[in-house]
């Protein structure tokens, strides 16, 4: 298993796509964070929670999507270039290969999430300090929970991308699905369910929507939510696990 | 993944022998491989010969556990591929030189493979040297020519110093020099006692590379044996003779039950008579000879004879494909000049000089 993980790590770090993705996944949120910290009017009048949401958590949703793409490409590039045949020839125990890919790519997804968040935190709090505003990851405590939630969300996004692309084998199809489903499909469903039932309760079961909420310090404020932050994470996690399981089973069964 | 070996261990359980037993593969309605049973023995280069679309690549994927057989099984020294502990150390495979990530450097491609089987990095530099890619090892694979990619594929197959090599059409896209290189390399590996199984759709290429042959047509086994014996059996053999008294000689030979055809350069091709008999007959009758040789028809002709079934398939397939816009007017001499549809044999004669498609 260690050999398999080492092999996947080498593969991940030796493509240009990976380098590009680290760049985008980190640079884009930092740019938004800086813009937000510089352009926000009267930051000293705003709460630490609001500033944290706008300047650290919010921009890093980008990273989550990039992490999803990383996951999709982790398996999808192998299909795109037919290297999956080389890979499964070198190690015909497919579950071991998949597990290694999953570990390496998910750690990578978690990693870029953490780096992006820390950079956003560092850059924006420095700017805010110079503008005499106060923002802290510990104040209120929910900021830290949401911070951890955002890192976890990046990892889960990687897994979702990985599972989806294992199942459909085409990164060019998996990646658009990964973007359109949460951003478009679930938004439309949200509107429909919301206006049909007149309450937001039912929409809690939209998986990606619930996933996004674990990375926001405004949510789960005691009153709101069918699930707590942990429950929401678990719910989205189970949803992702099902996608991964489908992709996994198909990969074991199909001809490579 | 692959099926279990259902006790397919044949007589000699040589560690490196490849053994296929009743291997079949359906893709939907297509029967790509049909009850294929054959052995590949160590110490030889065994050619896997068949027209395009006859199931060579599929068979190789079945051997390597990439595709699941619809029936049958295959083993390496008695062990199914997917049960090999470190497959790369036992079996080196080159399925397609294009199976590399274009933006990865050659060295990194091999690093990833080596790591998966616990092979040291310094072995990567060794195999790069063996195939002559050391100087371009840090170039991205997309900058490689097809020949370089073939070499990289062979380097990958050699990583684990395996006792068995499987190569799918390694000569494809190579210039004659490249093919010679591969041929010498495979012969060298076989001489060391390794098992080498290499496919091609060209008998002429196989005759240079291999000494044993497994021949398939439409997924079925057609022949198994040494190249020499197969060529011997299927090649068109005749005696070529030139003489100022040719008519007299031909008449004498025909009287002995042989047949004769004239060539444009005023020589006769005599079939059904040994060369010695022609010589003796000429001497006995005071006939002057300018030439007397044993000849055989081209290997590709032999191959066409051999894969008669596949040829049948082709002649029925051509008319349906004739609707293509570029096809010249109704076939004057039916088959050869028209490029046949995929899944059949490439245009025959000018193969000798390397007219691959
Ligand atoms: N993955 C696949 N799906 C469907 N048909 C296939 C697949 N692979 C091969 N075939 C079919 O199986 C037959 C044998 O193909 P192949 O093994 O590639 O032949 P060869 O390597 O001898 O040219 C062909 O008719 C081909 O179209
Ligand atoms: Mg082929």
């Amino acid at each position: 298993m260690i050999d398999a993980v080492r092999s996947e790590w080498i593969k991940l770090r030796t493509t240009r796509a990976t380098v590009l993705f680290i760049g985008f996944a980190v640079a884009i949120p930092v740019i938004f964070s800086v813009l937000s910290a510089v352009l926000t009017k009267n930051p000293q009048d705003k709460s630490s929670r609001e500033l944290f949401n706008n300047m650290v958590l919010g921009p890093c949703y980008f990273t989550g999507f990039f992490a999803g793409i990383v996951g999709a490409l982790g398996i999808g590039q192998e299909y795109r270039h037919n290297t999956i045949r080389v890979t499964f020839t070198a190690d015909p125990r497919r579950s071991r290969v998949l597990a290694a890919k999953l570990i390496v790519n998910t750690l990578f997804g978690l990693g870029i999430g953490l780096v992006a968040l820390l950079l956003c935190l560092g850059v924006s709090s420095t700017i805010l300090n110079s503008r005499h505003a106060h923002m802290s990851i510990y104040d209120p405590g929910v900021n830290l929970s949401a911070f951890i939630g955002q890192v976890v969300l990046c990892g889960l996004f990687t897994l979702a991308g990985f599972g989806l692309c294992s199942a459909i084998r085409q990164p060019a199809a998996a990646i658009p699905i990964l973007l359109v489903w949460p951003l478009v499909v679930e938004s439309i469903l949200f509107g429909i369910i919301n206006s049909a039932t007149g309450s937001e309760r039912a929409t809690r079961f939209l998986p990606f929507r619930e996933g996004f909420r674990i990375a926001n310090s405004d949510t789960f404020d005691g009153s709101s939510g069918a699930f707590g932050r942990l429950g929401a994470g678990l719910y989205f996690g189970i949803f992702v696990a099902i996608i991964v399981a489908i992709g996994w089973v198909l990969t074991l069964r199909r001809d490579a | 993944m692959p099926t279990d070996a259902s006790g397919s261990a044949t007589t000699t359980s040589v560690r490196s022998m490849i053994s296929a037993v009743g291997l079949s593969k359906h893709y939907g309605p297509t029967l790509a491989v049909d009850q294929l049973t054959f052995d590949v023995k160590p110490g030889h280069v065994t050619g896997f010969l068949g027209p395009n679309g006859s199931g060579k690549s599929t068979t190789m994927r079945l051997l390597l556990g990439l595709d699941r057989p619809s029936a049958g099984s295959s083993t390496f020294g008695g062990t199914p591929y997917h049960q090999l502990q470190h497959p790369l150390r036992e079996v080196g495979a080159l399925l397609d030189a294009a199976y590399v990530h274009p933006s990865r450097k050659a060295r990194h491609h091999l690093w990833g493979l080596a790591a998966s089987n616990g092979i040291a990095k310094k072995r990567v530099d060794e195999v790069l040297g063996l195939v002559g890619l050391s100087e371009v090892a840090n170039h991205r694979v997309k900058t490689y020519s097809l020949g370089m990619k073939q070499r990289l594929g062979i380097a990958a197959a050699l990583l684990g110093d395996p006792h068995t090599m499987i190569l799918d059409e390694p000569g494809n896209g190579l210039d004659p020099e490249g093919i010679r290189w591969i041929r010498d390399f495979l012969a060298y590996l076989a001489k060391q006692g390794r098992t080498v199984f290499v496919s091609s759709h060209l008998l002429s290429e196989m005759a240079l590379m291999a000494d044993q042959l497994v021949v398939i047509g439409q997924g079925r086994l057609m022949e198994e044996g040494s190249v020499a014996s197969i060529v011997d059996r299927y090649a068109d053999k005749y005696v070529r003779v030139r003489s100022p008294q040719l008519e007299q000689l031909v008449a004498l030979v025909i009287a002995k039950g042989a047949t004769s055809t004239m060539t444009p350069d005023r020589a006769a091709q005599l079939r059904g008579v040994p060369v010695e008999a022609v010589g003796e007959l000429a001497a006995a009758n005071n006939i002057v000879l300018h030439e007397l040789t044993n000849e055989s028809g081209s290997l590709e002709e032999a191959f066409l004879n051999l894969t008669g079934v596949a040829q049948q398939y082709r002649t029925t397939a051509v008319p349906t494909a004739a609707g293509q816009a570029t096809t010249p007017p109704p076939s004057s001499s039916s088959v050869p000049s028209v490029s046949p549809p995929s899944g059949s044999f490439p245009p025959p004669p000018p193969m000798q000089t390397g007219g691959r498609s």
Side-chain angles (χ1 to χ4, degrees):
Chain A
M1 189 65 209
I2 290 171
D3 284 345
V5 169
R6 282 185 46 228
S7 175
E8 291 307 328
W9 169 235
I10 291 171
K11 286 187 207 166
L12 179 67
R13 72 190 168 83
T14 55
T15 57
R16 270 191 179 160
T18 308
V19 180
L20 266 166
F21 274 112
I22 299 178
F24 282 131
V26 173
I28 292 178
V30 169
I31 290 168
F32 277 102
S33 184
V34 168
L35 284 178
S36 173
V38 171
L39 299 178
T40 298
K41 281 195 180 128
N42 305 322
Q44 68 278 10
D45 298 340
K46 300 207 155 95
S47 71
S48 168
R49 176 197 288 209
E50 187 186 345
L51 293 173
F52 195 73
N53 246 343
N54 291 344
M55 289 161 205
V56 180
L57 298 170
C60 286
Y61 279 116
F62 272 107
T63 312
F65 281 101
F66 277 114
I69 296 174
V70 164
L73 290 180
I75 183 88
Q77 298 224 57
E78 294 250 31
Y79 283 110
R80 194 163 114 67
H81 301 293
N82 272 314
T83 51
I84 193 73
R85 285 178 168 165
V86 177
T87 299
F88 283 155
T89 304
D91 188 351
R93 291 162 181 83
R94 295 188 187 182
S95 279
R96 184 162 72 189
V97 174
L98 288 178
K101 280 189 183 299
L102 200 141
I103 290 169
V104 167
N105 285 287
T106 307
L107 285 178
F108 186 79
L110 291 170
I112 57 176
L114 188 61
V115 168
L117 281 162
L118 287 175
L119 277 177
C120 288
L121 179 63
V123 168
S124 61
S125 53
T126 306
I127 296 171
L128 288 174
N129 264 345
S130 72
R131 298 183 67 194
H132 312 291
H134 164 76
M135 179 189 81
S136 161
I137 187 173
Y138 299 113
D139 172 32
V142 70
N143 278 2
L144 181 61
S145 314
F147 183 94
I148 295 170
Q150 184 64 279
V151 176
V152 170
L153 184 64
C154 286
L156 289 174
F157 249 101
T158 313
L159 285 168
F162 180 82
L164 196 61
C165 207
S166 305
I168 60 183
R169 298 193 278 192
Q170 307 275 352
I175 291 170
I177 291 176
L178 204 60
L179 302 182
V180 168
W181 184 352
L183 296 180
V184 180
V185 177
E186 287 202 7
S187 293
I188 294 170
L189 286 177
F190 176 82
I192 295 173
I193 295 171
N194 205 7
S195 52
T197 62
S199 98
E200 285 196 16
R201 274 196 86 79
T203 60
R204 295 277 141 69
F205 295 94
L206 293 172
F208 276 95
R209 201 174 173 80
E210 210 55 20
F212 288 144
R213 281 153 52 91
I214 69 174
N216 187 318
S217 62
D218 276 343
T219 49
F220 308 114
D221 200 9
S223 59
S224 71
F227 310 111
R229 192 180 302 273
L230 213 57
L234 216 59
Y235 176 70
F236 183 54
I238 289 170
F239 168 78
V240 169
I242 291 170
I243 299 180
V244 170
I246 292 170
W248 198 296
V249 168
L250 287 174
T251 307
L252 294 190
R253 285 193 174 176
R254 280 188 301 223
D255 293 337
Chain B
M1 260 176 276
T3 57
D4 284 346
S6 47
S8 65
T10 35
T11 48
T12 45
S13 187
V14 188
R15 197 168 76 100
S16 56
M17 189 162 84
I18 307 172
S19 205
V21 179
L23 220 45
S24 296
K25 179 66 180 177
H26 283 276
Y27 293 109
T30 310
L31 182 54
V33 174
D34 188 4
Q35 309 229 22
L36 213 47
T37 299
F38 61 85
D39 287 336
V40 182
K41 297 185 185 66
H44 296 280
V45 176
T46 302
F48 191 27
L49 179 66
N52 283 328
S54 58
K56 303 181 296 296
S57 301
T58 303
T59 304
M60 289 186 161
R61 289 200 303 276
L62 292 173
L63 293 177
L64 298 173
L66 291 172
D67 286 17
R68 301 192 325 158
S70 311
S73 63
S74 57
T75 52
F76 292 82
T79 310
Y81 189 84
H82 73 280
Q83 284 176 16
L84 297 175
Q85 270 313 314
H86 292 288
L88 293 187
R89 299 192 198 177
E90 313 214 24
V91 180
L94 168 57
L95 290 181
D96 188 326
Y99 293 173
V100 278
H101 193 296
S103 83
R104 199 172 273 138
K105 295 171 181 170
R107 172 174 278 128
H108 292 157
H109 172 68
L110 296 179
W111 276 6
L113 280 175
S116 71
N117 276 244
I119 296 166
K121 270 186 187 169
K122 76 172 203 300
R123 175 69 184 159
V124 167
D125 292 326
E126 271 174 38
V127 295
L128 282 167
L130 271 176
V131 301
L133 288 178
S134 298
E135 298 201 341
V136 287
N138 286 332
H139 293 196
R140 295 184 193 279
V141 176
K142 67 178 159 210
T143 66
Y144 275 28
S145 68
L146 184 51
M148 290 161 85
K149 283 186 197 165
Q150 295 279 25
R151 283 167 189 256
L152 179 59
I154 290 177
L158 288 170
L159 264 181
D161 196 17
H163 54 64
T164 300
M165 298 275 286
I166 292 186
L167 304 101
D168 195 3
E169 312 234 13
N172 259 7
L174 288 193
D175 51 20
E177 194 193 340
I179 291 181
R180 222 205 12 237
W181 178 80
I182 287 195
R183 180 187 67 192
D184 294 346
F185 205 84
L186 297 184
Y188 164 77
L189 293 172
K191 209 173 286 170
Q192 297 175 323
R194 299 178 211 248
T195 306
V196 181
F197 191 44
V198 53
S199 78
S200 173
H201 62 277
L202 301 172
L203 179 59
S204 52
E205 192 174 281
M206 286 284 80
L208 293 176
M209 281 191 192
D211 50 287
Q212 297 288 311
L213 276 186
V214 172
V215 185
I216 64 169
Q218 293 185 82
R220 277 193 296 272
L221 184 72
M222 314 212 57
E223 277 290 340
E224 208 180 350
S226 75
V227 174
S229 73
I230 289 175
V231 168
D232 205 43
R233 208 155 350 127
Y234 289 92
D236 175 30
K237 280 170 295 178
Y238 55 88
V239 175
R240 177 181 154 90
V241 61
R242 283 192 305 124
S243 161
Q245 298 138 277
L246 193 58
E247 267 140 56
Q248 190 190 345
L249 179 62
V250 165
L252 286 165
V253 173
I254 287 175
K256 296 258 173 198
T259 58
S260 167
T261 38
M262 293 303 290
T263 66
D265 64 339
R266 304 242 355 109
Q269 295 180 347
L270 309 173
R271 290 176 179 78
V273 59
V275 69
E276 295 83 2
V278 180
E280 282 157 19
L281 212 55
N285 292 280
N286 276 329
I287 294 175
V288 174
L289 293 184
H290 288 172
E291 181 181 348
L292 178 65
T293 47
N294 261 325
E295 299 269 337
S296 58
S298 82
L299 288 172
E300 293 315 322
E301 247 168 70
F303 183 43
L304 283 177
N305 292 336
L306 177 54
T307 54
V309 179
Q311 208 187 351
Q312 235 174 16
Y313 166 67
R314 177 185 63 174
T315 44
T316 56
V318 163
T320 58
Q324 292 166 343
T326 51
T327 310
S331 46
S332 48
S333 64
S334 66
V335 202
S337 61
V338 191
S339 168
S342 67
S344 57
F345 186 67
M351 278 296 139
Q352 242 78 323
T353 47
R356 263 176 315 281
S357 46

